[in-house]
Amino acid sequence: MNRPSLKHFYIKSFGCQMNSYDGERMSELLESQGMKAVEEAATADLVVLNTCHIREKAAEKVYSEIGRLRRPDGSSPMIALAGCVAQAEGAEVLARTKMVDIVVGPQAYHHLPELIEKAASGKVVDIDMPLESKFDALPERRQVGASAFLTVQEGCDKFCTYCVVPYTRGAEVSRPWSRIVKEAHALVDKGAREITLLGQNVNAWTGEDEAGRSQGLDGLIRALAKIDGLERIRYTTSHPNDMTEGLIEAHGEIDKLMPFLHLPVQSGSNRILKAMNRAHTAESYLTLMNRLKEVRPDIALSGDFIVGFPGESEEDFQATLDLISEVGYSLAFSFAYSPRPGTPAADMDNQIDPEISRERLQRLQALLNQQQFDFNQQTIGRKATVLIERKGKKADQMIGKSPWLQSVIIEAPVAIGDLVEVTLTDAGPNSVKGQFLDQKQFATA
């Protein structure tokens, strides 16, 4: 397949924030090779589909996406399938479709330039998992906004019975302290005012500081908080088993650590949690939440929930609703269980009728949506510092994030990257409005 020199590329990332980060890094890698990003697949010589395997029928949706890349004259761009579907499917991708030229896993995308060169002569597959060499090979960060992602940990050792992540992302590995700190400084130098630390189990991060002392995520956050120009720190996604007392205390002691935590629980039923191989209980999870509220009374809490897990009874489901009511979430993500091939849960007895799962999901989401709206309503009248991140739909609108990760709509002459003081006014289910406290603060800091 001898194609002309590739000049333009298009990357579409699906799923989690880790995939968004990987998409940014692949873009920077291709730009370092002299290629240019374009806004539409139709004008690209190379299309990279950076896939997620968490959602139901993820692979089938990817193949539909691939089919849409065929052009009216029957031609297509060079297509690289990346991410977790690529890792899970491997060479099977090439057996299912002739359109894909490159299959590359999430730990091997630093090989993209050489894979592109090889793909000019034939199909190629690279799903190796040499984790740290990926970061060693990637170029310096280029695409930096007011808020930036920084991967500190990858992989998972928890082996929840419904989840493919340990198989597609590999074992838990922490990036070295020095490289994280160096990258954080580089992000701030390029304009980032907020950094979100990423990991499949980000609070499982461990390492040694410059003095050779063992540190957990709380120690890393304390070090990053000393960087001049870095105003905000967040982290996601966390696991209840790795929520240490030191990390909890950091929420009460570090002003730059935002009062928001995403801590998935999945179910409020201990019986279902055990079947999921979640090594926490509803009681231990609630203890963590209460301790977080104790050290940081204004903290906003977020979670993940799965309904219709094999064997879930109405009593189990009610336990989940009860836990949600007790915690009070500002934001949450919820899904009806769907089996993933190769996971233990896919072979469990007592699979739940999809109609029952959908009905339970509707009830659960109604409660979560009401809590999110209630939280936004409760913040009306609060004073908040908002980081401006993008333009709104209207010409005079700008949108930023509150400390509690709310989208705040502001109508004023501000610039992306500004940190502005507002009073939160009107609140809707998905956003709030902000009114300036001081009209003199419009200059970019």
Side-chain angles (χ1 to χ4, degrees):
M1 179 186 299
N2 292 313
R3 286 193 174 98
S5 177
L6 305 180
K7 297 180 180 180
H8 300 99
F9 69 90
Y10 172 80
I11 296 178
K12 183 173 182 177
S13 292
F14 303 81
C16 68
Q17 291 168 312
M18 186 76 80
N19 263 24
S20 296
Y21 172 89
D22 286 345
E24 290 175 4
R25 302 300 274 134
M26 282 189 274
S27 180
E28 292 164 349
L29 180 62
L30 295 174
E31 286 175 345
S32 74
Q33 303 296 307
M35 296 182 69
K36 182 178 180 181
V38 293
E39 296 296 324
E40 296 181 357
T43 59
D45 306 309
L46 169 69
V47 173
V48 181
L49 299 177
N50 186 26
T51 62
C52 175
H53 207 283
I54 297 298
R55 300 295 180 88
E56 183 179 8
K57 299 179 180 177
E60 285 75 7
K61 292 176 182 178
V62 167
Y63 289 112
S64 295
E65 188 81 24
I66 292 169
R68 287 192 285 271
L69 295 175
R70 191 181 300 279
R71 291 166 179 164
D73 64 358
S75 67
S76 64
M78 180 179 283
I79 299 173
L81 188 70
C84 291
V85 170
Q87 187 72 37
E89 298 273 305
E92 180 64 21
V93 173
L94 304 182
R96 290 189 61 174
T97 175
K98 295 180 179 180
M99 291 183 65
V100 171
D101 303 287
I102 300 168
V103 180
V104 58
Q107 308 299 5
Y109 64 73
H110 57 297
H111 294 152
L112 257 179
E114 60 194 78
L115 295 175
I116 291 169
E117 184 175 345
K118 291 178 180 178
S121 303
K123 313 285 188 178
V124 290
V125 177
D126 188 345
I127 53 174
D128 289 341
M129 290 190 175
L131 174 75
E132 194 53 42
S133 64
K134 173 177 76 175
F135 293 103
D136 289 343
L138 292 171
E140 289 187 9
R141 300 291 298 273
R142 294 184 183 184
Q143 299 179 6
V144 177
S147 181
F149 293 136
L150 171 53
T151 292
V152 302
Q153 180 272 343
E154 286 200 299
C156 182
D157 295 342
K158 302 300 189 287
F159 288 94
C160 298
T161 56
Y162 53 82
C163 186
V164 297
V165 167
Y167 312 102
T168 59
R169 288 278 183 171
E172 288 180 358
V173 180
S174 297
R175 291 184 66 194
W177 171 286
S178 60
R179 296 179 188 177
I180 295 170
V181 173
K182 180 181 179 181
E183 188 169 339
H185 275 283
L187 290 171
V188 174
D189 289 344
K190 288 179 170 63
R193 307 197 74 181
E194 174 182 277
I195 289 177
T196 299
L197 307 179
L198 296 181
Q200 267 78 40
N201 289 309
V202 67
N203 56 339
W205 181 90
T206 59
E208 291 186 351
D209 63 17
E210 64 279 352
R213 295 168 297 199
S214 295
Q215 298 283 359
L217 186 65
D218 57 306
L220 180 63
I221 290 172
R222 291 179 189 277
L224 297 180
K226 296 177 182 179
I227 298 176
D228 290 338
L230 178 59
E231 304 296 337
R232 295 179 163 196
I233 300 171
R234 303 183 189 272
Y235 62 94
T236 195
T237 290
S238 299
H239 193 286
N241 285 20
D242 297 313
M243 202 70 206
T244 65
E245 180 61 23
L247 187 53
I248 292 172
E249 290 176 353
H251 278 275
E253 297 171 357
I254 303 174
D255 290 340
K256 291 184 179 182
L257 182 57
M258 292 295 95
F260 178 90
L261 176 65
H262 181 67
L263 191 63
V265 60
Q266 307 301 0
S267 174
S269 163
N270 288 339
R271 190 177 71 84
I272 296 300
L273 289 171
K274 184 176 181 180
M276 290 177 168
N277 197 34
R278 301 283 290 180
H280 58 88
T281 64
E283 291 78 15
S284 66
Y285 181 85
L286 289 170
T287 297
L288 285 174
M289 292 305 211
N290 290 333
R291 178 74 181 118
L292 284 158
K293 292 176 183 178
E294 180 183 332
V295 301
R296 189 68 194 256
D298 68 334
I299 196 165
L301 299 168
S302 173
D304 287 350
F305 298 91
I306 296 173
V307 302
F309 189 81
E312 182 188 65
S313 66
E314 182 63 27
E315 182 179 2
D316 294 321
F317 175 66
Q318 185 59 51
T320 299
L321 296 180
D322 292 343
L323 182 143
I324 292 170
S325 296
E326 184 165 349
V327 172
Y329 291 92
S330 67
L331 179 68
F333 303 92
S334 53
F335 312 93
Y337 169 78
S338 60
R340 299 294 178 272
T343 60
D347 297 323
M348 287 182 177
D349 295 331
N350 299 318
Q351 298 285 327
I352 304 300
D353 186 301
E355 285 299 320
I356 294 175
S357 294
R358 282 192 285 270
E359 188 274 334
R360 288 177 182 171
L361 183 63
Q362 288 175 355
R363 282 192 280 158
L364 179 133
Q365 289 180 338
L367 175 58
L368 291 171
N369 290 341
Q370 185 61 52
Q371 285 194 348
Q372 181 173 329
F373 179 66
D374 290 346
F375 177 83
N376 287 343
Q377 288 282 322
Q378 291 163 10
T379 60
I380 291 177
R382 284 189 190 179
K383 294 178 174 58
T385 303
V386 174
L387 175 61
I388 305 300
E389 294 183 349
R390 58 189 172 90
K391 295 180 179 179
K393 293 182 179 180
K394 298 180 180 179
D396 58 348
Q397 284 185 342
M398 298 295 285
I399 298 176
K401 286 291 193 301
S402 77
W404 306 284
L405 207 65
Q406 298 158 296
S407 290
V408 182
I409 300 169
I410 296 171
E411 297 182 358
V414 294
I416 293 173
D418 282 354
L419 279 165
V420 293
E421 300 295 326
V422 304
T423 298
L424 301 181
T425 55
D426 300 331
N430 300 309
S431 63
V432 296
K433 290 185 178 180
Q435 184 175 18
F436 281 98
L437 297 177
D438 180 2
Q439 296 295 319
K440 297 180 181 180
Q441 61 179 315
F442 294 149
T444 302

